Amino acid sequence: MKDFLQNTWKHRAHVVMALPAFLILLFFSYIPMAGLVMAFKSFDYSKGIWTSPWNGIENFKFLLASKSTFITMTKNTLMYYVIFTALGTFLNVVIAIAIDQCVFKKASKAMQTVMIIPVFISYAAVQFIVYAYLSTDTGILNNTFNIATRFYSTPKAWPWILTIVKMWNSVGYGSVLYMSVLAGIDTSLYEAAEIDGANKWQQIRHITLPSLLPMITVMLLLSVGNIMRSDTGLFYQVTRNSGVLYSTTQVIDSYVLNSIFKNSNFGFTAATTFFQSIVGLFMMLLANGLVRKIAPENALF
């Protein structure tokens, strides 16, 4: 303990710098984990979390009780995760490389700034932008193409709509991380390749993409932990929580939010988040194990 305190005092500047991040993790990630006990209790407001009666796995049974609803929302959650992750990663890399290769550096910086702006717009505001395009009577799309499509009553259209909105909102910000990797590539590698006769595509294929591969792998591994989670704002607010669209838009998180508003069953919500966390942890361990066997240098641990 004496050595620990001495070492802490010696590096007190680093400790102070790390303190905000530590406090955020403590109060928003670790302390709330105590609430998982609600997943195994029949929560009673008058008794509180700790004195509410235990009910075993009844909350989990309630989650699985409606088989068709559970299968639909799980399928939608996994489908959107695959689409958003695959397409988002591809566009992030493409945009990062395009901006990095842009000859006009001032223009590329302006493009980067413009692309980052959407991530700061709340989905509460985005829903009005989407509605302005898709409204049956006053929507821009219906008036421009002289059609009368009722988008908010057409479930098949929403996987496309939500994908477009998600990419618009996140791709610009996501590409920044890959641009930071590109900025660290030694320019002498490109110069040597150019002297050897490599064109731009060959330089990207043999220098840029291999340099980005470790970061792509790490980002994919981190995202696997959230495989059962979704952006509630996107699926709840942008769709305006329309029941007609549930077959293609209802995911686990939006289902939980609806349940809270209808019956305030916090034991059920705790069981659902516990289920999501366990599946996410298992998938991340599995994915990391596969990466460790194929390319150990790219594994998280």
Side-chain angles (χ1 to χ4, degrees):
M1 178 60 69
K2 182 179 180 181
D3 293 338
F4 172 76
L5 294 175
Q6 289 178 346
N7 187 61
T8 302
W9 177 253
K10 180 180 178 181
H11 299 92
R12 55 188 179 277
H14 297 128
V15 172
V16 172
M17 291 176 62
L19 189 59
F22 170 77
L23 292 177
I24 289 173
L25 285 174
L26 177 65
F27 289 110
F28 291 96
S29 297
Y30 287 97
I31 292 179
M33 288 180 67
L36 289 175
V37 71
M38 292 175 60
F40 305 96
K41 288 194 171 189
S42 178
F43 180 70
D44 187 339
Y45 284 97
S46 61
K47 297 180 179 179
I49 296 176
W50 306 114
T51 56
S52 293
W54 293 91
N55 67 352
I57 59 173
E58 291 300 318
N59 291 322
F60 295 93
K61 290 181 178 180
F62 181 72
L63 174 64
L64 301 173
S66 179
K67 293 183 179 180
S68 59
T69 302
F70 177 76
I71 292 173
T72 298
M73 66 183 182
T74 302
K75 180 188 70 175
N76 289 339
T77 302
L78 295 174
M79 178 189 72
Y80 283 113
Y81 167 80
V82 172
I83 294 174
F84 292 168
T85 302
L87 185 58
T89 301
F90 174 76
L91 293 178
N92 286 340
V93 172
V94 168
I95 291 175
I97 293 175
I99 293 178
D100 183 69
Q101 296 293 327
C102 183
V103 177
F104 304 101
K105 296 302 179 184
K106 291 185 178 179
S108 65
K109 291 181 179 179
M111 290 171 55
Q112 181 180 347
T113 302
V114 171
M115 289 189 301
I116 290 176
I117 292 176
V119 78
F120 297 106
I121 302 177
S122 169
Y123 279 117
V126 172
Q127 68 168 318
F128 294 107
I129 300 174
V130 175
Y131 185 78
Y133 277 90
L134 304 181
S135 173
T136 304
D137 300 323
T138 60
I140 295 174
L141 290 180
N142 283 332
N143 289 329
T144 301
F145 298 102
N146 195 25
I147 56 178
T149 304
R150 301 179 66 86
F151 288 101
Y152 287 92
S153 301
T154 310
K156 292 182 179 180
W158 280 90
W160 297 93
I161 296 170
L162 292 175
T163 300
I164 292 172
V165 173
K166 179 65 176 180
M167 295 302 104
W168 168 79
N169 180 264
S170 63
V171 163
Y173 183 79
S175 63
V176 173
L177 187 62
Y178 296 102
M179 290 180 64
S180 64
V181 176
L182 294 177
I185 299 177
D186 191 351
T187 55
S188 63
L189 295 175
Y190 292 106
E191 295 171 356
E194 190 173 357
I195 293 174
D196 290 339
N199 56 32
K200 283 293 182 182
W201 168 244
Q202 290 172 329
Q203 292 176 28
I204 291 173
R205 179 182 176 185
H206 296 289
I207 299 176
T208 306
L209 291 179
S211 299
L212 288 174
L213 186 58
M215 179 59 70
I216 294 174
T217 305
V218 170
M219 295 305 296
L220 289 176
L221 286 175
L222 292 175
S223 71
V224 167
N226 293 318
I227 189 171
M228 298 301 290
R229 300 184 183 277
S230 307
D231 195 327
T232 307
L234 177 65
F235 292 97
Y236 187 84
Q237 293 179 313
V238 174
T239 63
R240 295 184 167 237
N241 195 33
S242 176
V244 180
L245 306 176
Y246 279 174
S247 60
T248 59
T249 63
Q250 189 176 60
V251 293
I252 295 177
D253 285 330
S254 63
Y255 178 74
V256 170
L257 188 59
N258 275 321
S259 299
I260 293 175
F261 288 150
K262 290 179 181 179
N263 53 31
S264 300
N265 187 349
F266 292 104
F268 164 71
T269 60
T272 305
T273 55
F274 187 78
F275 165 74
Q276 291 175 303
S277 299
I278 291 298
V279 173
L281 175 62
F282 174 77
M283 292 301 298
M284 187 178 68
L285 293 175
L286 178 62
N288 187 76
L290 292 174
V291 172
R292 191 168 60 244
K293 288 185 177 181
I294 299 172
E297 67 279 3
N298 294 334
L300 288 176
F301 49 86

